Amino acid sequence: MKRSLIMACALWAAVYAWAQAPADAPSAAAILARIDSNESFKSIEYTGRMEIRIGEEFRIKTMRVQAIGADKAMVEFTNPEDAGTRMLKLDKDLWMYFPKEQDTVRISGHLLKEGMMGSDVSYEDALESDELSSTYSATVTGEAEIGGRRAFVVELKALTPKAKFDRRVMRVDAERFVVLSEDMYARSGRLLKTMEARKVERLGGRWYPTVFVLEDKLRKNTSTTMSLGSLVLDIDLDPGLFTRAALER
Amino acid sequence: MGTILKIAWRNVLRNKRRTMITGVVMMAGIGLFIMADSMLKGMDRLTIDNMVAYTESFMKIRTPEYISNLQGTPLEHGVPDPEAVMRTAMASDDRIVATAPRTRFVANVSNYEDALPVIALAIDPARDEAVFRLSEAVVEGSWLDSAAPRSIVIGSGLAAEMGLTAGDYAMVSASTVYDNVNADEYLVAGIVFSPMPEINQGGLFMTYADADALLGTDGFVSEIVVASERMPSLGDLLDASSDAAARVSAALPGLRADPLTELAKDYLAMRAMKGKASYFIIMVVLLIAAVGIVNTILMSVYARIREIGVLKAYGMPPAEIRRLFTLEGVIVGALGSAAGVALGSFLVWLMATRGISISAMVGDVDMGGLPLSGTLYGEWNPATMAFGFAFGIVVAFVSARIPAKRAARLEVTDALRFA
Amino acid sequence: MSVLELHDLTKVYRKGESEVRALDGVSLRVDAGEFLAVVGPSGSGKTTLLNIIGCLDAPSSGRVVYGGADLGAASQKELSAYRKDRISFIFQSYNLIPVLTVAENVELPLVIEKRHGKSAMRAKALEMLAAVGLQGMENRFPRELSGGQEQRVAIARALVKEPSVVLADEPTANLDSHTAEETVELMRRINAERGTTFVFSTHDRMVMEKAGRVVTVRDGRIVSDEKR
Ligand SMILES: Nc1ncnc2c1ncn2[C@@H]1O[C@H](COP(=O)(O)OP(=O)(O)OP(=O)(O)O)[C@@H](O)[C@H]1O
Ligand SMILES: [Mg+2]
């Protein structure tokens, strides 16, 4: 019931946005749908490299990530200091396994919104598929040029208070429909986070940002550059991977 | 028996030096034990009083679901209809003098450079003041005011670590009831320095109006805190709390009122360990006293070998000879124990009337996370005094028997040869 | 009528390899009311003999018969009980209990005996003190007395329970000759008035002279036994 209401709203918003948009541009709803088809996934697998900058200092974390939708994820860190440390996320629960201590720690749900391993990338950012069409209404507010590419400026407003962000402003590649940069706002109106894609790659039939910079705006002078390697989307992953047994293997 | 007692008693008096030395050791041991115990009890009182005054209150009313998820500080399983709950709680026990709502949530405080996680509390400033003494602990700025929106009060350690002073702005972010992040900027209205390290290091207080806006809640209350009248002793306080909590729980189906014994469980368990340590001290001191008594009686035996010979020659049975010397030890022990109780009582009296300023004693040293500061007052504990006295006598009895047995076993001809 | 009989007593002390025969075949019969001195050189066995007579020690062989009862096989406990009833001692160094008053010292054997009530004991003690010429001294402590007075208290203490035998090992050795004479006179008088049997050892010729019978011991044997 709730879901269909949201869908109806989304549809209405899409129609409304289409009515407002410049003649040559696709509708805002269509843009969201194109982004979703590029960037949302049923499953994902990649080797990640986080370059965390705090002031003048840099820290590198590398990891291997496997995730299904928004609720199952397994991460294994591969950088020397954290080698063997594994993380299992099942919906809102998170466990971390420390190989040296052979100990598993359950991590409070609040942490899911915090930066992963001290970075600006939250667990949600790194591990969850982000479906836009069903959650936000959008309007195209203009155009911009980002790194030499033409982009639509799309403003997203949450249809539900449960949306990850209350408001998002995206610059979307006008040809490839990949988000090139984004500002994310809290319900209070505060800017929480920004994202900037540095590299967009073609994977099969879709475009996907494989290098991007995230900045947590509640902290000054920090940013994290995330690079995704050996990226594969929507493959079949063994559900047995996402178990406590696999975590402590 | 009369003559035996007479001989023992007069010998104790006759060997004043020996009696004094042993008696003083016992006196010191038992006196210090009584004092240490009184101090520990005083610390307990101070600690629990501080918990009551700053974090735990007299009891906490929450839902069982909330209690089982305590670690997660969820924004669900709150107290339904808090106003009615507070009225019922007030009505169900005379000792309850005030109640206030509180909501606990995890937040991040940021000065835009660093962010620190804190346990934040949404409060109703006026009502909270009737339960806790936080408003008196404000060292900079002022306590929260419902009329001043978007302000917070934070702990002094947190403020120092973030370089914040009253009048500065800080960014507070938190997980909302919708499970996303919200953040806003708040005026640091005041800074509190309390006896509770957890408040100083990670305490953040804001009004319900601000918390509702930040968290997307609508008057969600995670717990009701309760104030009682002042209780004369720690035991009374704990008993009253348990008793009142039982009544409140009974009056509020679906809710659970936890008394102090539950809220201060960890501290009380640790205290039990410390109590054992003080018994260890008395053991060591009384062991020294025991050696002293063995020695005193042994010296008495050697000095009076001929006397033992005479008694034996006139047919006194060994058991009575043993009794004679045991009695002598017990008299020394009883004198020492009585003096110890007297000394202990004096020290306790000093501590109970004057008090010891903890801050003056240890400065601003962190007491291992214990909420120990303010003035420590000794507590009277008759049971400890009785124990100290009885234990001193038992130790004297047991240790005097060793040389007394030796006296009883002496060969009469050997004893008389000293003639 | 004999109070006690000794039959062929020996007492051997062993010290490692060497053996000391302190008594070597002593036989003796003591009658009621005797005033008997045991004399002999130092180390001849006087104390050993008195200890055995006093049931403080057991002989290595031989028999001790008190009033017809053989105590040769008695245990320490039985000997102690026998002493309590029948035998009293006077020591060379008086051995009064320093923390007890004169009267309390005299009462002591009765206290140990546990046969009389408090006032009876006190009455007997005062009577004995009067008999030894110490009336009015009952509340003094031993340290407030002279040596002779102390020994008289010891005599009173020995007599208070009306024993069948009083044993005294060199009772006058610590006293000057005048006091020694007074003391032995007192013993003699009590012996005469009450018929109490005294057996005592001495080195003192004057004391020996007062005895009704003198037994001389040498190297653990009786070498002479004279009645006067
Ligand atoms: N407990 C003992 N152990 C070993 N030898 C002993 C013991 N008591 C006495 N003797 C020895 O037995 C012998 C007799 O000693 P005893 O004391 O009876 O002599 P005595 O006639 O009383 O001498 P004195 O006139 O010096 O008192 C001595 O050779 C003494 O050394
Ligand atoms: Mg001798």
Side-chain angles (χ1 to χ4, degrees), chain A:
Chain A
M1 172 65 200
K2 212 167 169 184
R3 206 182 174 84
S4 58
L5 195 71
I6 290 168
M7 292 300 277
C9 285
L11 205 68
W12 176 82
V15 171
Y16 177 81
W18 172 76
Q20 301 282 309
D24 68 321
S27 74
I31 293 172
L32 289 199
R34 294 289 299 271
I35 298 170
D36 279 342
S37 71
N38 266 329
E39 297 191 30
S40 81
F41 49 81
K42 284 192 197 64
S43 69
I44 191 169
E45 192 179 275
Y46 61 87
T47 52
R49 182 176 183 281
M50 286 197 300
E51 192 177 298
I52 306 161
R53 181 183 64 84
I54 299 170
E56 304 293 298
E57 272 180 61
F58 285 88
R59 268 188 281 159
I60 309 281
K61 306 259 178 206
T62 58
M63 70 206 102
R64 192 175 136 76
V65 175
Q66 291 164 306
I68 297 181
D71 46 48
K72 286 194 177 77
M74 171 69 82
V75 180
E76 179 167 347
F77 289 89
T78 49
N79 56 298
E81 322 71 282
D82 303 305
T85 301
R86 281 192 284 272
M87 221 156 43
L88 171 67
K89 178 179 163 298
L90 291 176
D91 196 20
K92 299 292 169 209
D93 294 318
L94 192 67
W95 291 271
M96 255 180 130
Y97 171 77
F98 299 94
K100 269 186 223 123
E101 292 82 11
Q102 300 216 330
D103 191 19
T104 301
V105 181
R106 194 193 156 141
I107 290 174
S108 153
H110 299 288
L111 255 149
L112 288 169
K113 296 176 185 64
E114 307 272 318
M116 185 161 73
M117 305 292 260
S119 71
D120 301 66
V121 182
S122 74
Y123 294 93
E124 290 174 342
D125 295 335
L127 310 175
E128 290 182 12
S129 173
D130 190 12
E131 182 92 27
L132 299 175
S133 303
S134 55
T135 328
Y136 297 92
S137 69
T139 35
V140 178
T141 56
E143 286 190 17
E145 207 185 272
I146 306 283
R149 295 197 62 85
R150 191 168 79 100
F152 300 119
V153 179
V154 184
E155 194 163 324
L156 281 68
K157 183 75 187 142
L159 290 169
T160 151
K162 293 197 158 123
K164 209 155 44 158
F165 301 100
D166 191 57
R167 192 167 76 90
R168 307 167 79 150
V169 178
M170 293 175 167
R171 263 75 50 181
V172 184
D173 191 302
E175 278 175 62
R176 297 171 178 169
F177 295 96
V178 171
V179 181
L180 296 177
S181 82
E182 182 181 358
D183 305 324
M184 292 153 257
Y185 295 88
R187 216 152 52 90
S188 64
R190 295 272 153 196
L191 177 61
L192 291 175
K193 201 174 263 191
T194 61
M195 188 282 285
E196 225 180 281
R198 286 284 160 83
K199 190 175 177 192
V200 175
E201 281 182 83
R202 199 176 171 89
L203 285 157
R206 51 166 81 175
W207 290 93
Y208 203 89
T210 51
V211 179
F212 50 89
V213 182
L214 278 165
E215 273 182 41
D216 178 352
K217 287 298 175 186
L218 298 181
R219 304 192 293 182
K220 259 186 197 156
N221 281 324
T222 72
S223 66
T224 300
T225 307
M226 181 85 172
S227 315
L228 313 183
S230 325
L231 177 68
V232 217
L233 293 167
D234 296 339
I235 44 150
D236 284 334
L237 288 172
D238 177 7
L241 267 173
F242 308 100
T243 57
R244 292 285 301 277
L247 178 72
E248 290 158 15
R249 94 189 94 106

Side-chain angles (χ1 to χ4, degrees), chain B residues 34 37 42 63 160 214 283 305 318 331 342 350 368:
Chain B
I34 290 172
D37 181 77
T63 62
L214 179 65
M283 292 294 175
I305 282 190
I331 291 170
L350 271 186

Side-chain angles (χ1 to χ4, degrees), chain C residues 22-33:
Chain C
L23 292 180
D24 190 6
V26 170
S27 296
L28 187 69
R29 178 193 152 108
V30 180
D31 286 330

Side-chain angles (χ1 to χ4, degrees), chain C residues 175-196:
Chain C
L175 302 172
D176 63 76
S177 57
H178 177 68
T179 317
E181 188 167 355
E182 270 181 11
T183 304
V184 78
E185 285 291 352
L186 174 65
M187 285 164 55
R188 176 92 242 203
R189 204 184 76 225
I190 286 164
N191 166 258
E193 284 172 5
R194 304 185 171 230
T196 312

